[in-house]
Amino acid sequence: MMPMLESVIGTVLSSFIIVIISTFMALVLDFLFPSFSRWTRTFLFFIVLTVVLYPAYEHLQMIRSITQTVATMFISIYPLLTASILASGGSFSMLNFQPAMLLFANGAVILSDKILIPMLSAALLFDIVSRFHPALPFTRMADLLRGSLIGLVSALVAAYSIFITAGGTISWALTGVTSEPIKKLISQNIPLVGSFMTDSLGAIGRYSSGASVFIGAWLIVTIWSVALLPTLKTLLTGFLYRWTAALIEPFANEDITGILDDIGKTLFVLCAVSFLVAFAFIYTALFTVILVKLITVVK
Amino acid sequence: MLQFLTGVLFITIVSSALLLLLPAEKEEEFLPLVKMAMGIWIIHSITRIFGHSLF
């Protein structure tokens, strides 16, 4: 966990230090040459954009490549899964296998590859345009894109969780009374995606607790951490953007803090998208492991 | 969609470069032109994406 944290902060922090220093330099230049303030603002904007957009773009690329990997995994595993389910017959009925889940997971991956990530990049572009050129605001469009993405993703996860709970798998500890305050805390403190995160965590948990009988807790923990690592990385980077915006707010231009805040918001939405992909990944991985285990036990 | 976004970006960059080069008092006259250009581009893109009986 710690090396991951260090690597994330290390890659992002250097660019944020450049932002802080260049903002301060622009402040000094504005003081020395007040007549050049418009040029200073433009140059500062370009410096900040080139430095700051790179980590965000890297995260977009990362989630996209993960999505493609998961989609390839689905396409390669699906015929195998179906064939083995047909072959193993009765022993599989206890897992209450739902083919609709696979369809959902596959659909979610395709959706996030074809719609969600292009929409997010468009939202990012609209944010930049409306900050760079305040006379041509696209803020409503960007907010609308982000809002509809969140709605789409949460509707999909709600559909997932309905499918899972309808199957009657054992409910997990996170939904219990003891964890309610923690869930409340997370959902209130992580902007935009907090409540979505706790809900979908509960949904994943409900499924994997049913599966832990077959494959053991450690393997589940491994699958979870592998699947949720990109999500955590994205969340952390989004927070770093907002922290930097908060740090430079007293001496920076409103545009610069605004753009940092907006990129942070977009990354939070990306985090929700990656959650969906992680969910699909967890489902497939668990299912494959259970299948292999069952085949080896039954034979 | 990509074409629309490229157009938006292009209009933004060109207009901001022109705004930088123009003197400050001319800015007021130039901004409506930029808005008109953006409006034409958006309406054109909408009719191109969704279709219209005129085109």
Side-chain angles (χ1 to χ4, degrees):
Chain A
M1 197 66 182
M2 278 321 277
M4 193 275 286
L5 207 71
E6 274 169 18
S7 76
V8 170
I9 294 179
T11 47
V12 182
L13 206 63
S14 56
S15 48
F16 285 150
I17 286 173
I18 294 175
V19 169
I20 295 174
I21 291 174
S22 56
T23 318
F24 185 73
M25 294 290 276
L27 197 72
V28 174
L29 277 178
D30 259 358
F31 178 71
L32 291 178
F33 311 102
S35 53
F36 280 107
S37 65
R38 285 202 306 174
W39 286 91
T40 321
R41 178 187 170 272
T42 312
F43 278 121
L44 178 66
F45 215 91
F46 275 115
I47 290 172
V48 168
L49 271 191
T50 42
V51 170
V52 146
L53 266 188
Y54 183 67
Y57 183 69
E58 219 174 26
H59 276 274
L60 270 177
Q61 288 288 90
M62 182 180 78
I63 300 296
R64 179 169 230 164
S65 68
I66 287 171
T67 317
Q68 271 159 1
T69 318
V70 173
T72 326
M73 204 172 84
F74 270 129
I75 291 162
S76 52
I77 279 179
Y78 189 69
L80 200 73
L81 268 181
T82 329
S84 335
I85 286 157
L86 280 176
S88 58
S91 65
F92 231 83
S93 62
M94 59 181 150
L95 282 173
N96 56 57
F97 170 65
Q98 292 141 346
M101 276 296 292
L102 268 183
L103 185 70
F104 257 124
N106 205 354
V109 165
I110 288 171
L111 192 79
S112 56
D113 189 34
K114 292 275 185 291
I115 298 175
L116 301 191
I117 288 171
M119 264 172 100
L120 267 189
S121 338
L124 208 61
L125 184 78
F126 284 135
D127 275 335
I128 291 167
V129 166
S130 44
R131 292 285 173 187
F132 183 58
H133 215 318
L136 297 172
F138 279 100
T139 44
R140 272 160 217 274
M141 180 93 96
D143 272 348
L144 191 73
L145 281 178
R146 271 198 294 265
S148 47
L149 268 184
I150 280 285
L152 212 66
V153 169
S154 42
L156 263 174
V157 172
Y160 270 141
S161 50
I162 287 169
F163 262 89
I164 292 166
T165 45
T169 37
I170 311 150
S171 71
W172 191 47
L174 194 72
T175 52
V177 185
T178 45
S179 60
E180 214 50 49
I182 303 172
K183 276 173 76 175
K184 203 91 189 156
L185 201 72
I186 294 174
S187 61
Q188 279 172 356
N189 282 309
I190 300 178
L192 286 170
V193 291
S195 59
F196 162 74
M197 271 177 71
T198 51
D199 286 351
S200 51
L201 262 180
I204 299 173
R206 270 198 294 282
Y207 183 74
S208 53
S209 69
S212 68
V213 182
F214 293 99
I215 54 178
W218 276 111
L219 195 59
I220 285 194
V221 169
T222 316
I223 292 173
W224 266 64
S225 45
V226 165
L228 293 183
L229 211 60
T231 314
L232 277 180
K233 261 170 115 173
T234 316
L235 189 68
L236 203 66
T237 316
F239 264 120
L240 277 177
Y241 274 99
R242 303 205 96 175
W243 283 334
T244 315
L247 260 182
I248 63 172
E249 201 186 0
F251 63 91
N253 219 323
E254 176 59 34
D255 309 332
I256 305 296
T257 52
I259 197 86
L260 285 177
D261 240 13
D262 287 342
I263 296 176
K265 253 191 245 167
T266 311
L267 277 182
F268 283 139
V269 179
L270 184 70
C271 173
V273 173
S274 69
F275 225 88
L276 193 69
V277 178
F279 191 31
F281 175 77
I282 287 174
Y283 180 73
T284 334
L286 282 183
F287 215 86
T288 317
V289 170
I290 292 170
L291 187 84
V292 169
K293 196 116 181 172
L294 266 186
I295 287 172
T296 47
V297 166
V298 170
K299 290 285 146 118
Chain B
M1 195 61 197
L2 195 68
Q3 212 175 347
F4 169 62
L5 291 179
T6 319
V8 169
L9 197 63
F10 179 73
I11 292 175
T12 311
I13 289 173
V14 168
S15 62
S16 58
L18 284 175
L19 274 177
L20 273 180
L21 296 173
L22 279 175
E25 58 267 21
K26 289 272 179 194
E27 214 170 275
E28 297 296 314
E29 296 172 26
F30 184 64
L31 269 179
L33 276 178
V34 176
K35 288 205 167 207
M36 255 149 71
M38 192 59 99
I40 289 170
W41 177 245
I42 288 174
I43 291 168
H44 171 75
S45 306
I46 287 172
T47 48
R48 208 193 48 235
I49 292 171
F50 296 107
H52 191 276
S53 56
L54 288 179
F55 299 117

